[in-house]
Amino acid sequence: MTEWWADVVAKFVAAFITKDRWRLYLNGLGLTMEIAFFAGIIGIILGIIIALCRLSRSRNGGKTFLSVIAGIYIDVIRGTPSVLQLLIMWFIIMKNTTNSVLVASLAFGINSGAYVAEIFRAGILAVDPGQTEAGRSVGLSKSQTMLYIVLPQAIKNALPPICNEFITLIKETAIVGYVGLSDLTRVANQITSRTYEAFMPLIGAAVIYFVVIKILTMLLGILERRLRKSDNR
Amino acid sequence: MITVKDLKKNFEDTEVLKGISYEVGKGEKIVVVGPSGSGKSTFLRCLTLLEMPTSGKIFLEDQEITDPKTDINKIRQQMGMVFQHFNLFNNLTIMDNITLAPVKLGLMKKEEAKENALQLLNRVNLPEKADSYPAQLSGGQKQRIAIVRSLAMNPKVMLFDEPTSALDPEMVGEVLAVMKELAESGMTMIVVTHEMAFAKEVANKVLFVDQGIIMEENTPEEFFDHPKSPRLQDFLSRVL
Ligand SMILES: Nc1ncnc2c1ncn2[C@@H]1O[C@H](COP(=O)(O)OP(=O)(O)O)[C@@H](O)[C@H]1O
Ligand SMILES: [Mg+2]
């Protein structure tokens, strides 16, 4: 029993304490969060723009050129693996860029933008058409009505699923090891190959992801309750 | 004030308005009645191009609304529209509901618009609701605010599409009272409603819209006491 315990302790020490290895996990987590953060921002901005393009209609009610383009973008992004999108960004589109964090943030941001666009589109469509009619009836233009009346309500509708998308994004970034970035997942993997022991580093990394995501999910729950309350104000 | 010439509207294959011509004079109160599905809402919505007419012409004074070169946003500023379901802006306070359009369209300074809004809120006895949100109001209160929101634009004409149909019975009176007061103030009004007492009291003319045409048009006295067409007689016998 004591022998078994001593072995566990030794493995733990090798995985986390020796050579201050815990710092590597921390740095890895930092990189993971950094990429997720920038990708999230790019995704939200891109998502709103793409959603508005997707919903744009010409005078006679037909789809606009922009709407078709936005549709293709959403289709292509959702129809291909994100690892491939990352590799294409790294090895083809931005092969002359050395800033790999930038490349990864862009790749994930562009990927996330497609999903965020669909969330926003649903959020906009969920706003009662009567709101738009009332806005147009007092003489506001299409874009003024969108900006002052529909979008604020759509964003409120979309906020919880958007946060959810961001939480998903944190996990999705675990593939950046493919382009040589030492995020949390890759760090755990590297330590495994150094200590010849997989359990502690991999489970450790899993626990860190889990805790971060659990905390964010709980915060999201609080946000959702707040929003629901403000519906009845 | 408003001239409608041979207005037709199709939805896909169904012809909903089959040629409506009518002229509304300044200060007139026109009440439109008719069975459900006869095209009353479509008629009102065509007047501000919320629905695009299939053919025909509509004029507000000497401006042709149906002319593609006309700036419809400018026209709509002069025509208030009150909906069955109020359609207050849910994300804005009552004050902002009223001042949004005048301020954003550059007609008034923010302060001026607020002052004007407070006066209008007093007119409908709801000054204490300025900072509330629509969800905190009763149906009757919402509809009075919706009327005020339109009035804040100083429109030349007000259109009402069944403004009391979505209300609990005890709230119908407070909205009709505001409309009567508005009528007395000289506003030009076109009102689609099932409130026949309101029609008798306020209307200069009552129109019976049925099967996409104006089937009968008369003063309220003649309209209700001596209906000519059998369909109107039948309609009145069911609603009165
Ligand atoms: N957007 C639309 N698309 C297709 N049909 C419509 C649309 N709006 C109204 N209609 C049809 O037009 C007819 C008249 O509708 P409406 O003007 O709302 O009647 P009313 O207001 O007199 O009850 C109805 O048969 C309705 O189903
Ligand atoms: Mg109707």
Side-chain angles (χ1 to χ4, degrees):
Chain A
M1 186 67 206
T2 46
E3 206 171 298
W4 176 83
W5 182 244
D7 184 47
V8 168
V9 171
K11 281 180 176 164
F12 184 86
V13 169
F16 297 105
I17 315 285
T18 311
K19 297 188 185 163
D20 276 351
R21 281 193 178 128
W22 56 273
R23 277 174 189 272
L24 297 176
Y25 296 91
L26 218 57
N27 291 343
L29 177 64
L31 188 66
T32 294
M33 295 307 286
E34 191 184 336
I35 294 170
F37 176 78
F38 287 118
I41 291 186
I42 295 169
I44 286 176
I45 295 170
L46 208 56
I48 294 187
I49 297 171
I50 297 294
L52 290 177
C53 292
R54 184 94 182 89
L55 288 170
S56 64
R57 289 289 176 270
S58 61
R59 242 193 114 113
N60 58 27
K63 282 184 184 169
T64 59
F65 179 67
L66 280 177
S67 176
V68 174
I69 295 290
I72 292 173
Y73 164 76
I74 293 171
D75 265 4
V76 168
I77 293 292
R78 297 208 302 182
T80 54
S82 40
V83 184
L84 262 182
Q85 293 165 16
L86 177 68
L87 291 175
I88 288 169
M89 190 59 106
W90 179 246
F91 286 111
I92 301 172
I93 299 175
M94 298 186 71
K95 62 169 183 251
N96 298 323
T97 315
T98 48
N99 185 343
S100 39
V101 174
L102 175 74
V103 175
S105 300
L106 265 176
F108 286 109
I110 289 171
N111 175 278
S112 182
Y115 294 90
V116 172
E118 288 296 89
I119 294 172
F120 267 118
R121 190 166 80 105
I124 290 170
L125 291 176
V127 175
D128 175 8
Q131 297 282 307
T132 304
E133 290 192 346
R136 300 307 307 277
S137 290
V138 286
L140 295 173
S141 68
K142 234 182 194 174
S143 48
Q144 284 171 322
T145 305
M146 185 49 93
L147 186 62
Y148 300 122
I149 298 160
V150 178
L151 266 191
Q153 297 182 51
I155 287 173
K156 194 174 155 187
N157 292 341
L159 208 50
I162 294 255
C163 292
N164 218 4
E165 163 66 19
F166 176 71
I167 292 172
T168 308
L169 191 55
I170 295 175
K171 289 179 286 179
E172 289 261 303
T173 60
I175 55 174
V176 291
Y178 274 93
V179 299
L181 281 167
S182 293
D183 73 317
L184 182 53
T185 300
R186 182 139 186 266
V187 163
N189 206 8
Q190 284 170 332
I191 292 176
T192 296
S193 55
R194 233 167 285 165
T195 59
Y196 305 106
E197 201 282 310
F199 184 86
M200 285 291 172
L202 296 186
I203 298 297
V207 168
I208 297 172
Y209 275 113
F210 179 80
V211 169
V212 168
I213 280 160
K214 192 74 198 166
I215 291 172
L216 289 175
T217 310
M218 272 157 51
L219 290 177
L220 174 58
I222 295 173
L223 173 74
E224 279 181 342
R225 275 193 294 280
R226 287 258 170 92
L227 286 177
R228 219 170 302 139
K229 249 189 224 157
S230 74
D231 275 343
N232 312 319
R233 70 191 165 190
Chain B
M1 175 71 60
I2 294 183
T3 310
V4 182
K5 286 185 181 161
D6 199 26
L7 171 64
K8 291 183 182 166
K9 174 68 185 175
N10 298 357
F11 287 113
E12 275 102 55
D13 307 334
T14 47
E15 197 176 23
V16 174
L17 299 182
K18 300 174 183 166
I20 289 193
S21 298
Y22 198 72
E23 205 159 316
V24 182
K26 191 170 174 4
E28 276 195 307
K29 288 79 172 111
I30 308 299
V31 168
V32 180
V33 303
S36 147
S38 57
K40 307 181 296 295
S41 296
T42 305
F43 172 58
L44 271 198
R45 293 162 60 81
C46 280
L47 294 185
T48 63
L49 301 198
L50 280 179
E51 300 290 355
M52 217 22 126
T54 306
S55 69
K57 286 185 179 183
I58 303 166
F59 295 85
L60 175 67
E61 294 175 322
D62 54 359
Q63 318 162 79
E64 190 193 333
I65 299 175
T66 36
D67 183 345
K69 288 193 287 292
T70 304
D71 180 357
I72 187 59
N73 296 328
K74 283 265 152 48
I75 297 284
R76 284 176 179 151
Q77 293 175 24
Q78 308 166 60
M79 302 175 79
M81 177 73 132
V82 175
F83 300 89
Q84 184 175 353
H85 293 106
F86 333 124
N87 296 347
L88 293 182
F89 306 136
N90 294 325
N91 57 320
L92 301 178
T93 62
I94 299 310
M95 181 53 84
D96 290 341
N97 261 275
I98 303 169
T99 58
L100 179 73
V103 172
K104 294 299 176 195
L105 295 169
L107 306 180
M108 288 184 200
K109 292 250 159 39
K110 181 112 197 178
E111 283 314 305
E112 193 187 346
K114 276 190 170 178
E115 229 166 85
N116 185 41
L118 271 181
Q119 276 178 18
L120 287 166
L121 283 173
N122 275 311
R123 193 164 152 191
V124 296
N125 287 321
L126 290 170
E128 75 282 2
K129 297 296 183 193
D131 298 320
S132 303
Y133 282 86
Q136 297 168 318
L137 271 55
S138 72
Q141 291 172 335
K142 282 185 201 171
Q143 197 59 299
R144 281 141 74 194
I145 299 295
I147 294 171
V148 161
R149 176 177 64 184
S150 290
L151 290 179
M153 297 296 293
N154 285 318
K156 290 176 176 162
V157 47
M158 286 281 287
L159 312 177
F160 296 81
D161 191 3
E162 301 200 29
T164 58
S165 294
L167 297 177
D168 292 333
E170 74 271 18
M171 293 175 185
V172 170
E174 64 193 58
V175 171
L176 290 181
V178 170
M179 292 169 62
K180 276 177 204 164
E181 195 252 358
L182 189 59
E184 280 156 18
S185 76
M187 177 63 73
T188 308
M189 294 163 68
I190 305 180
V191 183
V192 173
T193 186
H194 296 294
E195 298 291 332
M196 297 303 160
F198 177 86
K200 281 181 192 170
E201 192 181 333
V202 175
N204 304 106
K205 284 278 170 61
V206 185
L207 310 187
F208 178 54
V209 170
D210 190 21
Q211 299 172 331
I213 57 164
I214 299 177
M215 195 158 279
E216 197 157 333
E217 175 226 331
N218 223 323
T219 60
E221 297 78 21
E222 286 296 308
F223 187 91
F224 289 108
D225 296 342
H226 306 290
K228 293 192 215 70
S229 66
R231 284 193 65 96
L232 176 56
Q233 290 163 4
D234 178 53
F235 175 75
L236 289 177
S237 73
R238 276 183 287 120
V239 297
L240 286 181

